[in-house]
Amino acid sequence: YVSGVIFSVSTVGSIVGSIAATFFLIPHFPLPLILEVIGSVLLCTGVIGYILNGGNTRTVIPLMMIVATVTYFGAPTTQKQFVYSERGLYSNLDVEDSVYANKPARILRQGRMRSGIMNRENLEPLLGYMFYYELAPYITPSFEHALIIGGGAYLMPRDMLSLYPALEVDVVEIEPALKGIAERFFNLTDDARLSNYTIDARVHLRNTDKKYDLIFNDAYATDFSPPPHLITREFFELARARQTAEGVYMMNVLGTLATSTDALVYSAIATLREVYPFVYTFATAGTTTSGRQNFVIVGAQRDVDALTLPDKYRTHLLSPNKSSDSAVVFTDAYSPVEFLSLSALPKDAQQY
């Protein structure tokens, strides 16, 4: 009888907890507060049960004080300082001041994903791949219209507008709050040459009649993988159809140089080769770096003489024959991006 009652109460609690968390708690309260309140309720419930069953209050009260002290005051200190936080349409949006690469940094997070990192002293991006748009004028003779997929902290479109006075930039970003956050905390200024679209990239490309000299895909679904529908052969075909005759396509992919494990990078290269006649891959941390790094993969419609590229980029260019036997061609019917991203990560990072 007792076990049946316990099981019934536990089942009812699970149902109520699931419904309350989904429809009430998570939509209305920050997760740290939810965890602290639930943890406190569970602790108090256990203590009450202990006392009601004859437990020694002189033992349990000091124990509760120790637990409370460790919980609320014993957390390790960090160099992070939260500047702003709001609930976005898809995730929590947090701006924090911290340190990155031994430099004072301002970081934008979408959930746990870092969407932009800016040096707080000189306001420059601290992620090196964001400068690779500078290759576009060396690859396409006309550089007047650009599309950025994934605005994040809007550091890339911000700097492009500053560097190229005649350039018009469109940004496709599905999170509507990010542009305002970029204006408040990442030095994005109002500019008539910047057009912002709160829409999915495929929908935008399907509906627009614009022709772009550069399309830079910086959209990410997690810290490790791009959205599966934005890395397929069909998507690249759509992108190429919305480019000028010698337009260039660039995308940021996180991975490693290891051909035996990192099929994501090489699959992205193989898929882009299905659509663009010339594909170039830049390892932003170096061509001999064994760890994870950002790769900028470029699809061009004409051959490019590597000697004409600036040295700071040319030295990061991989051999055009670099490939992996484990690479696949991503299609709308088969795009195992998340699986390939996870399989290339160290075991400890897979728990992230």
Side-chain angles (χ1 to χ4, degrees):
Y1 171 78
V2 175
S3 61
V5 171
I6 294 175
F7 182 79
S8 299
V9 172
S10 174
T11 301
V12 172
S14 297
I15 295 173
V16 173
S18 298
I19 295 175
T22 303
F23 296 102
F24 178 69
L25 294 177
I26 294 177
H28 295 92
F29 301 99
L31 290 179
L33 177 61
I34 295 174
L35 294 176
E36 289 173 3
V37 171
I38 292 177
S40 299
V41 170
L42 290 175
L43 178 61
C44 292
T45 301
V47 169
I48 292 172
Y50 176 77
I51 294 175
L52 291 178
N53 283 276
N56 189 339
T57 56
R58 289 180 297 179
T59 302
V60 74
I61 292 177
L63 180 61
M64 287 185 64
M65 294 178 64
I66 293 174
V67 171
T69 301
V70 171
T71 301
Y72 294 102
F73 303 104
T77 58
T78 69
Q79 295 178 289
K80 295 181 181 179
Q81 178 183 353
F82 284 93
V83 176
Y84 179 76
S85 180
E86 73 169 88
R87 177 73 177 178
L89 186 61
Y90 300 97
S91 64
N92 285 333
L93 306 175
D94 299 306
V95 178
E96 66 184 48
D97 285 345
S98 184
V99 175
Y100 181 84
N102 296 319
K103 297 178 181 178
R106 174 157 291 176
I107 300 174
L108 171 65
R109 290 186 183 272
Q110 293 179 256
R112 299 184 67 176
M113 179 176 67
R114 295 180 300 190
S115 296
I117 307 178
M118 179 184 74
N119 188 319
R120 281 185 281 130
E121 293 181 343
N122 59 21
L123 306 182
E124 288 187 353
L126 285 175
L127 297 175
Y129 78 87
M130 287 192 171
F131 294 96
Y132 275 74
Y133 64 81
E134 295 179 358
L135 288 172
Y138 296 90
I139 301 175
T140 178
S142 174
F143 191 40
E144 300 175 353
H145 304 281
L147 171 65
I148 307 299
I149 300 175
Y154 284 70
L155 297 175
M156 191 186 306
R158 183 202 69 181
D159 289 355
M160 291 173 70
L161 291 170
S162 176
L163 186 61
Y164 305 106
L167 182 66
E168 295 181 356
V169 179
D170 290 354
V171 178
V172 172
E173 172 55 63
I174 62 172
E175 175 55 69
L178 288 184
K179 184 172 184 288
I181 290 177
E183 291 172 340
R184 291 182 60 186
F185 301 105
F186 292 90
N187 207 44
L188 177 69
T189 57
D190 188 34
D191 195 314
R193 295 177 294 134
L194 175 64
S195 299
N196 192 66
Y197 299 89
T198 307
I199 194 173
D200 180 80
R202 288 186 75 147
V203 177
H204 174 76
L205 288 173
R206 189 166 59 242
N207 294 340
T208 188
D209 57 0
K210 292 184 177 182
K211 294 287 187 177
Y212 295 105
D213 302 302
L214 167 67
I215 297 178
F216 197 116
N217 187 352
D218 193 25
Y220 260 68
T222 71
D223 248 347
F224 309 116
S225 65
H229 69 298
L230 299 184
I231 198 172
T232 66
R233 179 176 58 204
E234 291 84 353
F235 173 72
F236 294 152
E237 290 171 345
L238 176 60
R240 186 178 180 186
R242 297 296 181 268
Q243 290 186 294
T244 55
E246 294 185 285
V248 58
Y249 180 90
M250 299 183 185
M251 63 178 172
N252 167 39
V253 179
L254 184 65
T256 71
L257 288 167
T259 58
S260 59
T261 58
D262 202 332
L264 177 62
V265 172
Y266 297 103
S267 294
I269 295 171
T271 305
L272 204 61
R273 284 174 176 162
E274 293 277 308
V275 178
Y276 288 87
F278 303 98
V279 174
Y280 308 92
T281 305
F282 296 85
T284 62
T287 58
T288 60
T289 301
S290 59
R292 284 186 295 124
Q293 61 175 307
N294 293 92
F295 292 83
V296 175
I297 306 175
V298 179
Q301 305 189 55
R302 67 184 182 94
D303 196 8
V304 178
D305 183 359
L307 295 178
T308 64
L309 302 179
D311 287 345
K312 63 180 180 179
Y313 298 123
R314 180 173 53 81
T315 55
H316 292 262
L317 181 62
L318 296 181
S319 167
N321 298 322
K322 190 80 171 176
S323 62
S324 170
D325 293 337
S326 58
V328 299
V329 173
F330 295 131
T331 67
D332 284 351
Y334 182 66
S335 184
V337 173
E338 294 97 337
F339 174 77
L340 294 181
S341 300
L342 187 64
S343 64
L345 295 177
K347 293 300 181 181
D348 54 346
Q350 293 182 13
Q351 300 174 7
Y352 179 78

Coordinates of all heavy atoms in Angstrom, one line a residue, residues 63-129:
L63 N 23.2 21.8 9.3 CA 23.4 21.3 8.0 C 22.8 22.2 6.9 O 23.4 22.4 5.8 CB 22.9 19.9 7.9 CG 23.0 19.1 6.6 CD1 24.5 19.0 6.2 CD2 22.4 17.8 6.6
M64 N 21.6 22.6 7.1 CA 20.9 23.5 6.2 C 21.7 24.8 6.0 O 21.8 25.3 4.9 CB 19.5 23.8 6.7 CG 18.5 22.7 6.5 SD 16.8 23.2 7.0 CE 16.5 24.4 5.7
M65 N 22.2 25.3 7.1 CA 23.0 26.6 7.0 C 24.3 26.4 6.2 O 24.7 27.2 5.4 CB 23.4 27.0 8.4 CG 22.2 27.5 9.3 SD 22.7 28.0 10.9 CE 23.7 29.4 10.6
I66 N 24.9 25.2 6.3 CA 26.1 24.9 5.5 C 25.7 24.8 4.0 O 26.4 25.4 3.1 CB 26.8 23.6 6.0 CG1 27.3 23.8 7.4 CG2 27.9 23.2 5.0 CD1 27.9 22.5 8.0
V67 N 24.7 24.1 3.7 CA 24.2 23.9 2.3 C 23.9 25.3 1.7 O 24.3 25.6 0.6 CB 23.0 23.0 2.2 CG1 22.4 23.0 0.8 CG2 23.4 21.6 2.6
A68 N 23.2 26.1 2.5 CA 22.8 27.5 1.9 C 24.0 28.3 1.7 O 24.1 29.0 0.7 CB 21.9 28.2 2.9
T69 N 25.0 28.2 2.6 CA 26.2 29.0 2.4 C 27.0 28.6 1.2 O 27.5 29.4 0.4 CB 27.1 28.9 3.7 OG1 26.4 29.3 4.8 CG2 28.4 29.7 3.5
V70 N 27.1 27.3 1.0 CA 27.9 26.8 -0.2 C 27.1 27.1 -1.5 O 27.7 27.5 -2.5 CB 28.1 25.2 0.0 CG1 28.6 24.7 -1.3 CG2 29.0 24.9 1.1
T71 N 25.8 27.0 -1.4 CA 25.0 27.2 -2.6 C 25.1 28.7 -3.1 O 25.3 29.0 -4.3 CB 23.5 26.8 -2.4 OG1 23.5 25.5 -2.0 CG2 22.7 27.1 -3.6
Y72 N 24.9 29.6 -2.2 CA 24.7 31.0 -2.5 C 26.0 31.8 -2.5 O 26.1 32.9 -3.1 CB 23.7 31.7 -1.7 CG 22.3 31.1 -1.9 CD1 21.7 30.2 -1.0 CD2 21.6 31.5 -3.0 CE1 20.5 29.6 -1.3 CE2 20.3 30.9 -3.3 CZ 19.8 30.0 -2.4 OH 18.5 29.5 -2.6
F73 N 27.0 31.4 -1.7 CA 28.2 32.2 -1.5 C 29.5 31.4 -1.9 O 30.5 32.1 -2.0 CB 28.3 32.7 -0.1 CG 27.1 33.4 0.4 CD1 26.2 32.9 1.3 CD2 27.0 34.7 0.0 CE1 25.1 33.6 1.7 CE2 25.9 35.5 0.4 CZ 24.9 34.9 1.3
G74 N 29.4 30.2 -2.1 CA 30.6 29.4 -2.4 C 30.9 29.1 -3.8 O 31.8 28.4 -4.2
A75 N 30.1 29.8 -4.7 CA 30.3 29.6 -6.2 C 31.7 30.2 -6.5 O 32.0 31.3 -6.0 CB 29.2 30.2 -7.0
P76 N 32.4 29.6 -7.4 CA 33.7 30.2 -7.8 C 33.5 31.6 -8.5 O 32.6 31.7 -9.3 CB 34.3 29.2 -8.8 CG 33.2 28.4 -9.3 CD 32.2 28.4 -8.2
T77 N 34.4 32.5 -8.2 CA 34.3 33.8 -8.9 C 34.8 33.7 -10.3 O 35.7 33.0 -10.6 CB 35.0 34.9 -8.1 OG1 36.4 34.5 -8.0 CG2 34.4 35.0 -6.7
T78 N 34.3 34.6 -11.2 CA 34.8 34.6 -12.6 C 35.0 36.1 -13.0 O 34.6 37.0 -12.2 CB 33.7 34.0 -13.5 OG1 32.6 34.8 -13.6 CG2 33.3 32.6 -13.1
Q79 N 35.6 36.3 -14.1 CA 35.8 37.6 -14.6 C 34.6 38.1 -15.4 O 34.6 39.2 -16.1 CB 37.0 37.7 -15.5 CG 38.3 37.4 -14.7 CD 39.5 37.4 -15.6 OE1 39.7 36.5 -16.3 NE2 40.4 38.4 -15.4
K80 N 33.5 37.4 -15.5 CA 32.3 37.7 -16.2 C 31.5 38.8 -15.5 O 31.4 38.7 -14.3 CB 31.4 36.5 -16.5 CG 32.0 35.5 -17.4 CD 31.1 34.3 -17.6 CE 31.7 33.2 -18.4 NZ 30.7 32.1 -18.6
Q81 N 31.0 39.7 -16.2 CA 30.1 40.7 -15.7 C 28.9 40.9 -16.7 O 29.1 41.4 -17.8 CB 30.8 42.1 -15.5 CG 29.9 43.2 -14.9 CD 30.6 44.5 -14.8 OE1 31.9 44.6 -15.0 NE2 29.9 45.5 -14.5
F82 N 27.8 40.5 -16.3 CA 26.6 40.6 -17.2 C 26.2 42.0 -17.3 O 26.0 42.7 -16.3 CB 25.5 39.7 -16.6 CG 25.7 38.3 -16.9 CD1 26.3 37.5 -15.9 CD2 25.4 37.7 -18.1 CE1 26.5 36.1 -16.2 CE2 25.6 36.3 -18.4 CZ 26.2 35.5 -17.4
V83 N 26.0 42.4 -18.5 CA 25.7 43.8 -18.9 C 24.2 43.9 -19.2 O 23.6 44.9 -18.8 CB 26.5 44.3 -20.1 CG1 26.1 45.7 -20.5 CG2 28.0 44.3 -19.8
Y84 N 23.7 42.9 -19.8 CA 22.3 43.0 -20.3 C 21.7 41.6 -20.5 O 22.5 40.7 -20.9 CB 22.1 43.9 -21.5 CG 20.7 44.0 -22.1 CD1 19.8 44.8 -21.5 CD2 20.4 43.2 -23.2 CE1 18.5 44.9 -22.0 CE2 19.1 43.3 -23.7 CZ 18.2 44.2 -23.1 OH 16.9 44.3 -23.6
S85 N 20.5 41.4 -20.3 CA 19.8 40.1 -20.6 C 18.4 40.3 -20.9 O 17.7 41.2 -20.3 CB 20.0 39.2 -19.3 OG 19.4 37.9 -19.6
E86 N 17.9 39.6 -21.9 CA 16.5 39.6 -22.2 C 16.1 38.2 -22.8 O 16.9 37.5 -23.3 CB 16.1 40.7 -23.1 CG 16.5 40.5 -24.6 CD 15.9 41.6 -25.5 OE1 16.5 42.7 -25.7 OE2 14.8 41.3 -26.1
R87 N 14.8 38.0 -22.7 CA 14.3 36.7 -23.3 C 14.0 37.0 -24.8 O 13.1 37.8 -25.2 CB 13.0 36.3 -22.6 CG 12.3 35.1 -23.2 CD 13.1 33.8 -22.9 NE 12.4 32.6 -23.3 CZ 12.8 31.4 -23.2 NH1 14.0 31.2 -22.7 NH2 12.2 30.4 -23.7
G88 N 14.8 36.3 -25.7 CA 14.6 36.5 -27.1 C 13.4 35.6 -27.6 O 12.8 34.8 -26.8
L89 N 13.2 35.6 -28.9 CA 12.1 34.8 -29.5 C 12.5 33.3 -29.4 O 11.6 32.5 -29.3 CB 11.9 35.2 -30.9 CG 10.7 34.6 -31.6 CD1 9.4 34.9 -30.9 CD2 10.6 35.1 -33.1
Y90 N 13.8 33.0 -29.5 CA 14.3 31.6 -29.6 C 15.1 31.2 -28.4 O 15.2 30.0 -28.2 CB 15.0 31.4 -30.9 CG 14.3 31.7 -32.1 CD1 14.4 32.9 -32.8 CD2 13.4 30.8 -32.7 CE1 13.6 33.2 -33.9 CE2 12.6 31.0 -33.8 CZ 12.8 32.3 -34.4 OH 12.0 32.6 -35.5
S91 N 15.7 32.1 -27.7 CA 16.6 31.8 -26.6 C 16.8 33.0 -25.7 O 16.4 34.1 -26.1 CB 17.9 31.2 -27.1 OG 18.6 32.2 -27.8
N92 N 17.5 32.8 -24.6 CA 17.9 34.0 -23.8 C 19.0 34.7 -24.5 O 19.9 34.0 -25.1 CB 18.4 33.5 -22.4 CG 17.3 33.1 -21.5 OD1 16.2 33.6 -21.6 ND2 17.6 32.3 -20.5
L93 N 19.0 36.0 -24.4 CA 20.0 36.8 -25.1 C 20.8 37.6 -24.0 O 20.2 38.4 -23.2 CB 19.4 37.8 -26.0 CG 18.5 37.2 -27.1 CD1 17.8 38.3 -27.9 CD2 19.2 36.2 -28.0
D94 N 22.1 37.3 -23.9 CA 22.9 37.9 -22.8 C 24.1 38.6 -23.3 O 24.8 38.1 -24.2 CB 23.4 36.8 -21.8 CG 22.2 36.0 -21.2 OD1 21.4 36.7 -20.6 OD2 22.2 34.8 -21.2
V95 N 24.4 39.7 -22.8 CA 25.6 40.5 -23.1 C 26.4 40.5 -21.8 O 26.0 40.9 -20.8 CB 25.3 41.9 -23.6 CG1 26.6 42.7 -23.8 CG2 24.4 41.9 -24.8
E96 N 27.7 40.1 -22.0 CA 28.6 40.0 -20.8 C 29.9 40.6 -21.1 O 30.4 40.6 -22.3 CB 28.7 38.6 -20.3 CG 29.5 37.7 -21.3 CD 29.6 36.3 -20.8 OE1 28.5 35.7 -20.4 OE2 30.7 35.7 -20.9
D97 N 30.5 41.3 -20.2 CA 31.9 41.8 -20.3 C 32.8 40.8 -19.6 O 32.6 40.4 -18.4 CB 32.0 43.1 -19.6 CG 31.4 44.3 -20.5 OD1 31.2 44.0 -21.6 OD2 31.2 45.4 -19.9
S98 N 33.8 40.3 -20.3 CA 34.7 39.2 -19.8 C 36.0 39.4 -20.5 O 36.4 40.5 -20.9 CB 34.0 37.9 -20.2 OG 34.8 36.8 -19.6
V99 N 36.8 38.3 -20.5 CA 38.1 38.3 -21.1 C 38.1 37.2 -22.2 O 37.7 36.0 -21.9 CB 39.2 38.1 -20.1 CG1 40.6 38.0 -20.8 CG2 39.2 39.2 -19.1
Y100 N 38.6 37.5 -23.4 CA 38.8 36.5 -24.4 C 40.1 36.7 -25.1 O 40.5 37.8 -25.5 CB 37.6 36.6 -25.4 CG 37.7 35.6 -26.6 CD1 37.1 34.4 -26.4 CD2 38.3 35.9 -27.8 CE1 37.2 33.4 -27.4 CE2 38.4 35.0 -28.8 CZ 37.8 33.7 -28.6 OH 37.8 32.8 -29.6
A101 N 40.9 35.6 -25.2 CA 42.2 35.6 -25.8 C 43.1 36.7 -25.1 O 43.8 37.5 -25.7 CB 42.1 35.9 -27.3
N102 N 42.9 36.8 -23.7 CA 43.7 37.7 -22.9 C 43.4 39.2 -23.2 O 44.2 40.1 -23.0 CB 45.2 37.5 -23.0 CG 45.6 36.1 -22.5 OD1 45.1 35.7 -21.5 ND2 46.5 35.4 -23.2
K103 N 42.2 39.4 -23.8 CA 41.8 40.8 -24.1 C 40.5 41.1 -23.5 O 39.6 40.2 -23.4 CB 41.8 41.0 -25.6 CG 43.1 40.8 -26.3 CD 43.0 40.9 -27.8 CE 44.3 40.7 -28.5 NZ 44.2 40.8 -30.0
P104 N 40.2 42.3 -23.1 CA 38.9 42.7 -22.6 C 37.8 42.5 -23.6 O 38.0 43.1 -24.7 CB 39.1 44.1 -22.1 CG 40.2 44.7 -22.9 CD 41.1 43.5 -23.2
A105 N 36.8 41.8 -23.4 CA 35.9 41.4 -24.4 C 34.4 41.7 -24.0 O 34.1 41.6 -22.8 CB 36.0 39.9 -24.8
R106 N 33.6 42.0 -24.9 CA 32.2 42.0 -24.8 C 31.6 40.9 -25.6 O 31.9 40.8 -26.8 CB 31.6 43.4 -25.2 CG 30.0 43.4 -25.1 CD 29.5 44.8 -25.0 NE 29.8 45.3 -23.7 CZ 29.5 46.6 -23.3 NH1 29.0 47.4 -24.1 NH2 29.8 47.0 -22.1
I107 N 30.8 40.0 -25.0 CA 30.4 38.8 -25.6 C 28.8 38.8 -25.7 O 28.2 39.1 -24.7 CB 30.9 37.6 -24.9 CG1 32.4 37.5 -24.8 CG2 30.3 36.3 -25.5 CD1 33.0 36.4 -24.0
L108 N 28.3 38.4 -26.8 CA 26.9 38.2 -27.0 C 26.6 36.7 -27.0 O 27.2 36.0 -27.8 CB 26.4 38.8 -28.3 CG 24.9 38.5 -28.7 CD1 23.9 39.0 -27.7 CD2 24.6 39.0 -30.1
R109 N 25.7 36.3 -26.2 CA 25.3 34.9 -26.1 C 23.8 34.7 -26.5 O 23.0 35.5 -26.0 CB 25.6 34.3 -24.8 CG 27.1 34.1 -24.4 CD 27.3 33.3 -23.1 NE 28.7 33.2 -22.8 CZ 29.5 32.2 -23.2 NH1 29.0 31.3 -23.9 NH2 30.7 32.2 -22.8
Q110 N 23.6 33.7 -27.3 CA 22.2 33.3 -27.6 C 22.1 31.9 -26.9 O 22.5 30.9 -27.5 CB 21.9 33.2 -29.1 CG 21.9 34.5 -29.8 CD 21.7 34.4 -31.3 OE1 22.6 34.5 -32.1 NE2 20.4 34.2 -31.6
G111 N 21.4 31.9 -25.7 CA 21.5 30.7 -25.0 C 22.9 30.5 -24.5 O 23.5 31.4 -23.9
R112 N 23.5 29.3 -24.8 CA 24.9 29.1 -24.5 C 25.9 29.4 -25.7 O 27.1 29.3 -25.5 CB 25.1 27.6 -24.1 CG 24.3 27.3 -22.8 CD 24.6 25.8 -22.4 NE 25.9 25.7 -21.9 CZ 26.4 24.6 -21.4 NH1 25.6 23.5 -21.2 NH2 27.6 24.5 -20.9
M113 N 25.3 29.7 -26.8 CA 26.1 29.9 -28.0 C 26.6 31.4 -28.1 O 25.9 32.3 -27.9 CB 25.2 29.6 -29.3 CG 25.9 29.9 -30.6 SD 24.9 29.4 -32.0 CE 23.6 30.6 -31.9
R114 N 27.9 31.5 -28.3 CA 28.5 32.8 -28.5 C 28.3 33.3 -29.9 O 28.7 32.7 -30.9 CB 30.0 32.8 -28.2 CG 30.3 32.4 -26.8 CD 31.8 32.4 -26.5 NE 32.5 31.4 -27.4 CZ 33.7 31.0 -27.2 NH1 34.5 31.5 -26.3 NH2 34.3 30.1 -28.0
S115 N 27.6 34.4 -30.0 CA 27.2 35.0 -31.4 C 28.1 36.1 -31.8 O 27.9 36.6 -32.9 CB 25.7 35.4 -31.4 OG 24.9 34.3 -31.2
G116 N 28.9 36.6 -30.9 CA 29.7 37.8 -31.3 C 30.7 38.1 -30.1 O 30.2 38.1 -28.9
I117 N 31.9 38.4 -30.4 CA 32.9 38.8 -29.4 C 33.6 40.0 -29.9 O 34.3 40.0 -30.9 CB 33.9 37.7 -29.1 CG1 33.2 36.4 -28.8 CG2 34.8 38.0 -28.0 CD1 34.1 35.2 -28.5
M118 N 33.6 41.1 -29.1 CA 34.2 42.4 -29.5 C 35.2 42.8 -28.4 O 35.0 42.7 -27.2 CB 33.1 43.4 -29.6 CG 33.5 44.8 -30.0 SD 32.2 46.0 -30.0 CE 31.9 46.2 -28.2
N119 N 36.3 43.3 -28.9 CA 37.3 43.9 -28.0 C 36.7 45.2 -27.5 O 36.3 46.1 -28.2 CB 38.6 44.2 -28.8 CG 39.7 44.7 -28.0 OD1 39.6 45.5 -27.0 ND2 40.9 44.2 -28.3
R120 N 36.6 45.3 -26.2 CA 36.0 46.5 -25.5 C 36.9 47.7 -25.7 O 36.4 48.9 -25.5 CB 35.8 46.2 -24.1 CG 34.5 45.4 -23.8 CD 34.2 45.2 -22.4 NE 35.0 44.2 -21.7 CZ 35.7 44.4 -20.6 NH1 35.7 45.6 -20.0 NH2 36.4 43.4 -20.1
E121 N 38.2 47.6 -26.0 CA 39.1 48.7 -26.1 C 39.0 49.4 -27.5 O 38.8 50.6 -27.6 CB 40.5 48.3 -25.7 CG 40.6 48.0 -24.3 CD 42.1 47.6 -23.9 OE1 42.9 47.3 -24.8 OE2 42.4 47.6 -22.7
N122 N 39.2 48.6 -28.5 CA 39.2 49.1 -29.9 C 38.0 48.8 -30.7 O 37.8 49.2 -31.9 CB 40.5 48.7 -30.7 CG 40.6 47.2 -30.8 OD1 39.6 46.4 -30.7 ND2 41.8 46.7 -31.0
L123 N 37.0 48.0 -30.1 CA 35.7 47.7 -30.7 C 35.8 46.7 -31.9 O 34.8 46.5 -32.6 CB 35.0 49.0 -31.1 CG 34.8 50.0 -30.1 CD1 34.0 51.2 -30.6 CD2 34.1 49.4 -28.8
E124 N 37.0 46.1 -32.1 CA 37.2 45.2 -33.2 C 36.7 43.8 -32.8 O 36.7 43.4 -31.7 CB 38.6 45.1 -33.6 CG 39.2 46.3 -34.3 CD 40.6 46.1 -34.9 OE1 41.2 45.0 -34.5 OE2 41.1 47.0 -35.6
P125 N 36.2 43.0 -33.8 CA 35.8 41.6 -33.6 C 37.1 40.9 -33.1 O 38.2 41.1 -33.6 CB 35.3 41.1 -34.9 CG 35.0 42.3 -35.7 CD 35.9 43.4 -35.2
L126 N 36.8 39.9 -32.2 CA 37.9 39.1 -31.7 C 37.9 37.7 -32.3 O 38.7 36.8 -32.0 CB 37.9 39.0 -30.2 CG 38.3 40.2 -29.4 CD1 38.1 40.1 -27.9 CD2 39.8 40.6 -29.7
L127 N 37.0 37.4 -33.2 CA 37.0 36.2 -33.9 C 37.5 36.4 -35.3 O 36.9 37.1 -36.1 CB 35.5 35.6 -34.0 CG 34.9 35.2 -32.6 CD1 33.5 34.8 -32.8 CD2 35.8 34.2 -31.9
G128 N 38.7 35.9 -35.6 CA 39.4 36.2 -36.8 C 38.7 35.9 -38.1 O 38.9 36.6 -39.1
Y129 N 37.8 34.9 -38.2 CA 37.1 34.6 -39.4 C 36.2 35.8 -39.9 O 35.9 35.8 -41.1 CB 36.3 33.4 -39.3 CG 35.0 33.6 -38.6 CD1 33.8 34.0 -39.3 CD2 34.8 33.4 -37.2 CE1 32.6 34.2 -38.6 CE2 33.6 33.6 -36.5 CZ 32.5 34.0 -37.3 OH 31.3 34.2 -36.6

